Amino acid sequence: MKAYEALPASVLDSLPAHRGDAWVQLRTALAGLGRKIVVLDDDPTGVQTVHDVYVYTRWDRETLTEAFREPDTMFFILTNSRGLTVPESRAQHEQIAENLAAASAATGKDFLLLSRGDSTLRGHWPMETEILRGRLEALTGRRFDGEVIFPFFPEGGRFTLGGVHYVRQGEELIPAGLTEFAKDKSFGYTASALADWCEEKSGGRFPAAECCRVTLEELRAGDADAIAEKLEAVTAFGKIAVDSADYEDVAVFVTALCKALAAGRNYLFRCAAALPKVLGGVPDRPLLQRAELVDAGNERGGIILIGSHVNKTSRQLAALQAADLPMVFIQFDQHRVLEDGGLEDEVARVLALAEADILAGRSVTVYTRRERLDLDTADKDKQLGISVKISDAVTSIIGKLSVRPSFVVAKGGITSSDVGTKALRVRRARVAGQIRPGIPVWQTGAESKFPGLPYVIFPGNVGSDDDLRRVAEILMDR
């Protein structure tokens, strides 16, 4: 496996120019697509590029049939599968595939299925898309010719150049396999080239040499017909790795994809948040401001909950603590999970403090102790199980609130999913837009604990060091 080195971020400014009018071609292509776009989101951050779409947190047949009957082009299903064990995710995806097939048949509407995963390549892949492929082929008779691997996400600084996936850190592009994300206890990897990553994560079942690559040079040439021919040549669920450095690259690819679909080919997708935005035809909109989110009559404080432990989150927390804001900070000691009844006591302590401040009109940040609690075990499911137990305790603070805060911010993938589904009890939420690039906001549904609440979903691995502070300033009108 070839090793790759960091690149200066300035290479993004010296790439070949686009030829042709990709956006005009895209509009024509999408007009003829004729399919509902369904996005399975393995944590709530996948809506970080869209607005005015619905997210469902359940996937029973009745709910999915309702979603198919909505006039919208696209909807999301929050699976939170990154917080599940392998057996749990397997069973979940089997059920989702069966219910999607039933809802599609009941409504007579065809669909395109995207598995939205982490832009830093973590998650239960290839298992999840293999389960979807197997069940949908058995239930519908449709055959999937290939799987598109598309982790590009510019809002988070994720770019794929020359087949290699990079994570921007400051003024450098770091090969993904060299980042802290690749060392994840549950979903680690070593490869940076997407073709190598496919081979590594599949245990060699999808060799790098057999991966179809759609290159940046092909995308910049703007020849969608030529790219469509490459896609149409893929068979037997072969992998298709796509370069991208800006959204126009995605537009060219989607135009080519629509041509291949029109020719009778079928694909599944493992992607980050950029592809759903373009496939769904979602236009840009300005970043959200306080007046669009917070009820002017609510004089209560808000609450920020921080569960993520990646270095970026710790830096963002430090910047928030250093800001001149009327914010109260409460540390949650998750290491008490090792004590009998320790987490329960810690929840009660933190909840009492947080409620008193919110009632008094003071906003609160509850953050987990910054030292990670890693078990001395190679059992990934056991480590994940401890993480989920801690997340359940931390997020229960929101669920136990007896007073409505003016806003809720959750930092981290598992944390934000649990806050949305378990604590706020959201069944369906509208994505209002983004408060900062890559940081989405839900407006909670009528059935939730706090209907109409602005709920900010802040990914652990997204944003500048100052973005958490900026989010707080917007929500607190400072």
Side-chain angles (χ1 to χ4, degrees):
M1 186 182 299
K2 183 178 177 181
Y4 296 91
E5 296 182 351
L7 299 176
S10 58
V11 301
L12 297 171
D13 300 322
S14 58
L15 296 172
H18 287 278
R19 294 167 56 188
D21 194 335
W23 298 110
V24 170
Q25 295 183 51
L26 175 68
R27 284 193 291 272
T28 301
L30 291 179
L33 182 58
R35 301 192 192 189
K36 181 78 80 171
I37 299 165
V38 181
V39 186
L40 304 186
D41 203 353
D42 75 351
D43 74 10
T45 63
V47 295
Q48 56 205 153
T49 59
V50 301
H51 57 87
D52 296 319
V53 301
Y54 283 105
V55 180
Y56 294 84
T57 65
R58 301 177 190 173
W59 45 85
D60 55 273
R61 291 190 183 188
E62 181 181 0
T63 296
L64 295 186
T65 301
E66 172 190 335
F68 268 85
R69 286 183 173 144
E70 291 281 356
D72 301 329
T73 300
M74 176 171 62
F75 68 90
F76 284 67
I77 302 171
L78 174 57
T79 68
N80 194 35
S81 63
R82 212 183 308 166
L84 303 180
T85 64
V86 170
E88 289 169 339
S89 180
R90 179 184 298 275
Q92 177 197 64
H93 279 71
E94 288 177 348
Q95 184 182 61
I96 289 172
E98 291 167 6
N99 291 344
L100 281 173
S104 175
T107 58
K109 293 184 179 181
D110 199 359
F111 66 98
L112 206 60
L113 184 58
L114 282 64
S115 173
R116 201 296 305 190
D118 179 43
S119 62
T120 58
L121 304 177
R122 297 169 297 169
H124 293 297
W125 189 90
M127 182 272 291
E128 290 176 345
T129 49
E130 289 181 326
I131 291 295
L132 294 170
R133 175 206 182 190
R135 293 304 298 141
L136 288 173
E137 287 188 344
L139 291 165
T140 68
R142 171 176 290 171
R143 293 293 176 264
F144 289 98
D145 301 290
E147 179 179 11
V148 175
I149 310 298
F150 208 149
F152 168 70
F153 174 48
E155 292 87 348
R158 322 291 195 243
F159 305 92
T160 308
L161 308 172
V164 179
H165 195 53
Y166 293 93
V167 175
R168 181 166 184 166
Q169 296 180 2
E171 294 307 311
E172 285 191 311
L173 300 180
I174 310 298
L178 301 180
T179 65
E180 62 174 311
F181 310 112
K183 299 176 177 61
D184 188 281
K185 287 284 186 177
S186 299
F187 305 115
Y189 58 93
T190 61
S192 296
L194 293 183
D196 292 339
W197 179 80
C198 289
E199 180 173 316
E200 177 185 359
K201 297 297 287 186
S202 68
R205 289 184 293 112
F206 299 110
E210 297 178 10
C211 181
C212 171
R213 279 194 52 217
V214 178
T215 68
L216 194 70
E217 290 74 19
E218 292 170 322
L219 293 164
R220 295 294 165 104
D223 191 345
D225 288 329
I227 297 171
E229 287 181 10
K230 290 187 74 169
L231 300 180
E232 291 169 30
V234 175
T235 60
F237 207 49
K239 304 310 169 206
I240 303 163
V242 186
D243 282 1
S244 274
D246 65 23
Y247 269 107
E248 196 165 347
D249 295 325
V250 187
V252 174
F253 175 78
V254 170
T255 299
L257 171 68
C258 289
K259 292 176 180 291
L261 292 170
R265 303 300 192 271
N266 291 294
Y267 309 92
L268 282 174
F269 305 82
R270 184 68 166 193
C271 62
L275 183 60
K277 173 183 171 70
V278 177
L279 256 176
V282 179
D284 292 335
R285 65 144 293 162
L287 295 174
L288 295 164
Q289 299 301 315
R290 175 184 167 86
E292 301 171 87
L293 299 172
V294 178
D295 182 358
N298 190 336
E299 297 181 356
R300 303 282 169 75
I303 183 168
I304 298 174
L305 196 66
I306 299 178
S308 168
H309 280 85
V310 299
N311 291 333
K312 183 183 286 288
T313 292
S314 295
R315 294 195 303 269
Q316 290 168 336
L317 171 60
L320 179 62
Q321 290 172 317
D324 185 19
L325 289 172
M327 176 78 70
V328 179
F329 293 88
I330 306 171
Q331 178 177 273
F332 184 98
D333 186 1
Q334 74 275 16
H335 290 228
R336 297 194 66 188
V337 70
L338 302 177
E339 304 172 20
D340 186 21
L343 281 184
E344 291 80 0
D345 289 346
E346 189 68 354
V347 168
R349 179 187 71 85
V350 172
L351 177 63
L353 294 172
E355 278 207 326
D357 284 312
I358 292 170
L359 275 168
R362 294 185 292 268
S363 291
V364 175
T365 293
V366 175
Y367 64 98
T368 49
R369 182 174 156 184
R370 292 295 86 191
E371 297 87 4
R372 284 182 59 95
L373 177 62
D374 291 325
L375 301 180
D376 186 17
T377 176
D379 187 336
K380 294 182 179 181
D381 281 349
K382 188 174 182 180
Q383 178 68 52
L384 185 60
I386 285 289
S387 298
V388 170
K389 187 174 182 180
I390 291 169
S391 180
D392 284 345
V394 173
T395 56
S396 74
I397 293 166
I398 304 295
K400 294 175 184 293
L401 282 177
S402 60
V403 57
R404 179 188 174 103
S406 59
F407 61 82
V408 172
V409 179
K411 190 81 168 71
I414 294 177
T415 302
S416 57
S417 177
D418 285 352
V419 167
T421 58
K422 298 177 183 178
L424 294 176
R425 301 192 297 274
V426 175
R427 175 181 174 269
R428 185 178 84 156
R430 184 180 70 87
V431 182
Q434 287 70 47
I435 192 167
R436 292 289 298 162
I439 303 170
V441 183
W442 287 5
Q443 296 275 190
T444 57
E447 78 292 343
S448 67
K449 178 180 176 67
F450 299 124
L453 181 80
Y455 173 40
V456 180
I457 295 165
F458 202 135
N461 59 4
V462 166
S464 70
D465 288 356
D466 286 332
D467 268 344
L468 183 58
R469 172 184 61 79
R470 291 176 180 177
V471 167
E473 288 173 343
I474 293 167
L475 293 170
M476 297 171 68
D477 195 23
R478 297 284 171 170

